[in-house]
Amino acid sequence: QVQLAESGGGSEQAGGSLRLSCAASGYTVSRYCMGWFRQFPGKEREGVATIDHGTPSYADSVKGRFTISKDNAKNILYLQMNNLKPEDTAMYYCAATQMFGGACSIQRVYTYVEFWGQGTLVTVSS
């Protein structure tokens, strides 16, 4: 049974940093394309960043501020968020696919996602 457990959310002031973690069980982080998504109240989930073995992909809104990475030894997916802005306030979700070939884009992860974490809330105050 696959489980994705996010942690690291919380409250931060604008300009601050947070690191989100997604610990996987029953799933090998190193093998597949994964991503982070976020959801604003009343809105659809939107892609933040994706990664497999190659170059990560980022939404324009977070480029240069957020970094997605994997710790294969610990089987954890991370999202380092720097220079946070109030508009980053959202519920953040880890997404796991079973894709290991082809482009690991935000659109493809959203289309082929197999597993979601429970979400972790990030609140950024001005």
Side-chain angles (χ1 to χ4, degrees):
Q1 183 178 359
V2 174
Q3 290 188 324
L4 303 173
E6 295 112 331
S7 61
S11 297
E12 186 59 71
Q13 291 193 328
S17 298
L18 286 171
R19 187 177 76 162
L20 305 185
S21 300
C22 173
S25 58
Y27 180 90
T28 304
V29 164
S30 64
R31 183 175 297 176
Y32 301 111
C33 172
M34 300 183 71
W36 286 96
F37 286 71
R38 63 187 181 185
Q39 189 166 19
F40 306 110
K43 298 289 183 69
E44 295 269 336
R45 283 183 194 182
E46 65 174 38
V48 175
T50 57
I51 186 171
D52 55 1
H53 312 286
T55 304
S57 295
Y58 296 95
D60 288 344
S61 58
V62 306
K63 277 181 184 175
R65 300 189 298 122
F66 291 10
T67 302
I68 188 172
S69 64
K70 294 180 178 180
D71 186 326
N72 294 335
K74 294 182 179 178
N75 212 36
I76 296 177
L77 177 73
Y78 293 107
L79 184 69
Q80 177 67 43
M81 306 186 296
N82 297 330
N83 191 20
L84 283 162
K85 301 178 179 180
E87 51 264 41
D88 294 319
T89 295
M91 187 71 81
Y92 284 73
Y93 296 90
C94 171
T97 75
Q98 294 190 20
M99 297 192 301
F100 53 90
C104 182
S105 65
I106 286 174
Q107 183 176 359
R108 290 193 80 220
V109 172
Y110 195 63
T111 300
Y112 296 109
V113 59
E114 296 269 350
F115 311 103
W116 290 103
Q118 82 285 355
T120 185
L121 181 63
V122 171
T123 303
V124 184
S125 58
S126 57

